[in-house]
Amino acid sequence: MKLGIIGSKHSGKTSLFNGLTGLNVDTSGYQKGGINIGVVKVPDERMERFIKMYQPKKITYTTIEFVDLAGSSDSDEIGSQRLGQLREVDAFVHVVRCFENSEAGISKIDPSGEIESIGLELILADMDSVQRKTERLEKQSRSGDAKIKEQIKILEGLKETLDNNLPLRSRKITLEEQAIIDELQLLTPKQILFAANIAEQDIPGNAAVKMLSDILGENTSIIAVCAKIEAELGQLEEDERREYMKELGIESSGLNKLINTCYSMLDLVTFFTCGPKEVKAYPVARHTKAPRAASKVHSDIERGFIRAEVINYKDLIALGSEAAVKEKGLFRVEGKEYEVQDGDTFCFRFNV
Ligand SMILES: Nc1nc2c(ncn2[C@@H]2O[C@H](COP(=O)(O)OP(=O)(O)O)[C@@H](O)[C@H]2O)c(=O)[nH]1
Ligand SMILES: [Mg+2]
């Protein structure tokens, strides 16, 4: 999974990036144009249990790639060209400054202003993409192709939403629209997790979460972090980190909070494949059917899918071994219509 960090200048994006990835990228903000990329493994207690049980040769965690646009531009805008570097992310993390940034000489906080201006930038970037595509098609449509006219109509529908100052994620998207959205890699259909960047003395940050949810509405995914502290924590060894967190009254690391919130925002569940060769975790959208899930293991398996043999994590842990699960009759054989449940461990049977 790939997450793009967005937000206003000096909101703490790079500090948060450092905290999440344990890297130590310069936040003085004078390097230009580049892009910071960091990959972290998704911690999962269930993986640790499986590893103990199977003693596998290979362990593969789910990973999240964080993308931060390096350096600051001179204007307060991200800029459409720079935004273009975030077209391939699965979702955004929008950092909102909720602390007075004395280092950057900005005292007033303006969360609703920041949210509005970044939101507007994303909308304008999408309008631009839709407009260009429409123009290209209009040139071709002089030949009178009905398919092209149909496409132009779909683009008009997208444009209407954007013209009303609404992101595309605010409404239902049809399959035809989705195809164009994918092709143009539009930005506003992507989900956004808001991270209120709070001052150290405001930890744990319930007031900031409340402030953002008053602005954004209750169905928004919001976490509070102190990016500066997260960045410091990211440089510490596990033991030291735990000690320091306790001292500061931080219950869960920014990374853990972010991952949990992100999984529920994107409605993801995790399934596993377990054995002595490899223990591996896979995130998939809830309601994903078994053959599609199998394709994540190997692309051939979807094509030749026969059945899935499933044991859920809870049963496996409660009973201690695959053999005990089978004895109790909790080992299931499922077909093509089976929807993956969180914590399922699969063995896929296939024939190609
Ligand atoms: N006091 C305080 N300062 C912060 C915090 N987060 C970032 N800063 C400072 O704000 C400045 C800009 O941070 P940076 O992460 O580069 O912001 P960016 O422009 O959004 O990438 C840096 O000097 C940081 O040290 C925070 O949580 N508290
Ligand atoms: Mg930065």
Side-chain angles (χ1 to χ4, degrees):
M1 184 163 38
K2 216 171 177 180
L3 298 178
I5 303 176
I6 53 173
S8 302
K9 201 157 111 176
H10 301 313
S11 57
K13 299 180 294 298
T14 303
S15 305
L16 182 65
F17 171 86
N18 283 339
L20 295 169
T21 59
L23 295 172
N24 195 5
V25 165
D26 179 24
T27 58
S28 57
Y30 295 111
Q31 80 278 38
K32 287 210 174 158
I35 194 165
N36 300 319
I37 293 179
V39 179
V40 299
K41 68 172 200 193
V42 174
D44 191 324
E45 202 184 295
R46 294 170 295 188
M47 283 291 280
E48 308 313 318
R49 301 291 293 266
F50 289 138
I51 292 163
K52 269 208 186 106
M53 196 177 275
Y54 290 94
Q55 306 280 327
K57 286 208 181 75
K58 190 174 169 202
I59 301 164
T60 312
Y61 289 88
T62 302
T63 55
I64 297 185
E65 186 175 323
F66 289 101
V67 183
D68 171 45
L69 302 175
S72 50
S73 56
D74 295 328
S75 79
D76 282 333
E77 288 190 356
I78 300 173
S80 60
Q81 205 179 354
R82 286 160 65 71
L83 270 176
Q85 296 182 290
L86 299 178
R87 292 207 176 275
E88 279 169 17
V89 302
D90 298 298
F92 293 116
V93 177
H94 182 169
V95 181
V96 181
R97 184 172 60 84
C98 298
F99 66 98
E100 298 184 351
N101 197 335
S102 48
E103 283 171 57
I106 331 167
S107 53
K108 207 172 124 267
I109 68 161
D110 181 18
S112 58
E114 288 187 8
I115 289 167
E116 203 185 312
S117 68
I118 298 292
L120 188 61
E121 256 202 273
L122 297 176
I123 289 173
L124 290 173
D126 278 359
M127 280 173 145
D128 192 46
S129 309
V130 168
Q131 179 69 27
R132 283 162 192 250
K133 177 74 183 174
T134 307
E135 282 165 13
R136 278 199 303 273
L137 289 176
E138 272 168 352
K139 272 186 205 142
Q140 293 172 32
S141 82
R142 302 220 174 100
S143 59
D145 186 335
K147 237 190 192 153
I148 291 178
K149 289 200 172 126
E150 184 60 39
Q151 289 241 308
I152 292 175
K153 220 166 162 194
I154 296 168
L155 284 161
E156 276 166 6
L158 297 176
K159 182 171 181 295
E160 195 182 322
T161 303
L162 297 165
D163 280 343
N164 285 324
N165 220 346
L166 292 169
L168 291 167
R169 71 178 168 282
S170 66
R171 70 156 167 94
K172 273 219 153 70
I173 298 292
T174 65
L175 281 176
E176 292 80 13
E177 285 174 333
Q178 190 61 50
I180 291 194
I181 286 172
D182 291 345
E183 183 198 325
L184 300 180
Q185 296 184 299
L186 297 183
L187 300 166
T188 65
K190 298 184 199 293
Q191 299 287 330
I192 303 181
L193 188 163
F194 290 86
N197 187 10
I198 53 168
E200 186 176 341
Q201 63 269 23
D202 294 335
I203 293 171
N206 299 338
V209 170
K210 168 90 174 42
M211 179 167 65
L212 293 198
S213 97
D214 285 347
I215 297 169
L216 292 157
E218 279 189 358
N219 288 328
T220 319
S221 303
I222 303 166
I223 59 169
V225 289
C226 176
K228 199 176 181 183
I229 297 286
E230 293 294 334
E232 285 172 23
L233 287 169
Q235 296 302 307
L236 300 177
E237 293 298 326
E238 185 66 29
D239 287 355
E240 277 181 307
R241 178 161 51 223
R242 240 181 259 141
E243 192 62 29
Y244 192 30
M245 280 170 64
K246 218 160 120 195
E247 223 170 89
L248 293 163
I250 301 176
E251 275 176 24
S252 159
S253 73
L255 179 64
N256 273 329
K257 268 202 266 191
L258 189 141
I259 289 173
N260 289 336
T261 311
C262 186
Y263 270 54
S264 47
M265 174 175 86
L266 299 177
D267 210 11
L268 299 176
V269 296
T270 303
F271 77 85
F272 304 88
T273 52
C274 297
K277 268 198 212 145
E278 187 180 20
V279 164
K280 184 167 177 178
Y282 305 79
V284 287
R286 195 183 301 281
H287 307 303
T288 295
K289 295 198 171 154
R292 177 38 61 91
S295 74
K296 306 252 168 193
V297 179
H298 196 291
S299 53
D300 282 348
I301 309 186
E302 183 172 20
R303 197 155 44 88
F305 183 89
I306 302 171
R307 62 175 190 270
E309 298 171 359
V310 192
I311 300 175
N312 195 272
Y313 167 79
K314 287 188 191 120
D315 298 325
L316 191 57
I317 293 307
L319 298 169
S321 71
E322 279 183 26
V325 169
K326 282 181 184 160
E327 208 167 284
K328 280 261 180 190
L330 292 170
F331 169 88
R332 288 173 286 132
V333 175
E334 303 283 359
K336 284 186 174 160
E337 292 303 312
Y338 179 71
E339 287 184 1
V340 176
Q341 306 291 309
D342 191 44
D344 279 347
T345 71
F346 281 113
C347 180
F348 296 108
R349 300 291 171 193
F350 67 105
N351 183 6
V352 284

